[in-house]
């Protein structure tokens, strides 16, 4: 190949390279951003122990609130009773006991449980009612009603109802409240109503506050509620008729419905007796009292 020819071919190659279009490498495509919403996974359900702890905590909080409401109401009613005029208190005592003594449902009762009133606790007086029950009539003890009165055994809401036949059967306990001695003058154990062979017709009950729906607020010891539940279970087991539960109340002790907080352990009453008259509440009371 001649020198001229070589030079000519070199120039053509240079021109071709200079005129060849330059193709740049395409940049990588941008990262694709997903438009789908993020999937939130539901946490596993709480275990039984976790649910139980939560339920227990909620129930305990509810009970704490309920007991707080009870304490506040007790304080309020105690103040009202303390400020009650003594003359008015005496008048209401007489009126309430007269209503009870003249009531057909009381006269027809053969066996009953009744509380022994304590002036220091500002309870409705029961001395005339108890005196009438224990009074002999023409020397015929058979016509007398059989009476059981409370005896507190310990501080764990344990109370018994024991039979007495005379006020001489009563002694003052450590709180200076009259109650039956455990044994009679002959050293024999008194009959416990829970061991009796016959049912009680009537309970005359104390309390701190009541409403017209039958709710009863005690003094916080739980003695009467515990005893009443036990007696009601006994009656059910023996297929007896349930006794009538009648509370005796001063006028300041009767509060509006819904004010008294209750639990499943609180036993309602069938009727109230105040100086204004009898308030039958349950169906049994309405049928028995027929007012």
């Amino acid at each position: 190949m001649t020198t001229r020819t070589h030079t000519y071919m070199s120039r053509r190659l240079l021109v071709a390279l200079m005129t060849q279009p330059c193709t740049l490498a395409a940049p990588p495509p941008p990262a694709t951003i997903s438009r789908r919403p993020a999937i939130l996974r539901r946490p596993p359900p709480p275990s039984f122990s976790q649910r139980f702890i939560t339920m227990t905590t909620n129930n305990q909080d509810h009970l704490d609130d309920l007991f707080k409401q009870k304490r506040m109401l007790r304080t309020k009613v105690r103040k009202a009773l303390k400020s009650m005029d003594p003359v008015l208190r005496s008048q209401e005592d007489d009126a309430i006991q007269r209503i009870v003594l003249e009531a057909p449902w009381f006269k027809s009762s053969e066996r009953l449980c009744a509380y022994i009133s304590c002036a220091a606790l500002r309870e409705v007086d029961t001395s005339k009612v108890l005196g009438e029950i224990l009074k002999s009539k023409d020397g015929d003890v058979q016509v007398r009603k059989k009476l059981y009165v409370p005896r507190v055994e310990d501080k764990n809401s344990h109370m018994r109802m024991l039979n007495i036949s005379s006020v001489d059967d009563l002694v003052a306990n450590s709180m200076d409240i009259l109650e039956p001695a455990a044994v009679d003058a002959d050293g024999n154990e008194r009959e416990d109503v829970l061991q009796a062979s016959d049912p009680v017709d009537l309970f005359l009950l104390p309390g701190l506050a009541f409403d017209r729906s039958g709710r009863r607020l005690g003094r916080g010891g739980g003695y009467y509620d515990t005893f009443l539940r036990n007696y009601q279970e006994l009656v059910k087991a023996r297929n007896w008729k349930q006794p009538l539960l009648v509370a005796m109340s001063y006028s300041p002790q009767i509060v509006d419905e819904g004010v008294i907080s209750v639990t499943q352990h609180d036993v309602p009453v069938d009727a109230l007796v105040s100086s204004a008259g009898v308030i039958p509440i349950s169906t049994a009371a309405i049928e028995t009292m027929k007012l």
Side-chain angles (χ1 to χ4, degrees), residues 7 25 41 54 75 89 125 127 139 154 167 171 176 179 251 278:
T7 302
R41 297 187 179 277
T54 301
T75 299
R89 183 192 307 277
D125 185 23
S127 60
D154 55 38
V167 292
V171 295
D176 204 29
E179 63 181 16
S251 51
V278 180

Side-chain angles (χ1 to χ4, degrees), residues 43 101 109-110 123 126 164 167 176 262 280:
L101 290 171
S109 65
E110 298 179 2
E123 294 174 327
T126 56
I164 63 170
V167 292
D176 204 29
V262 295

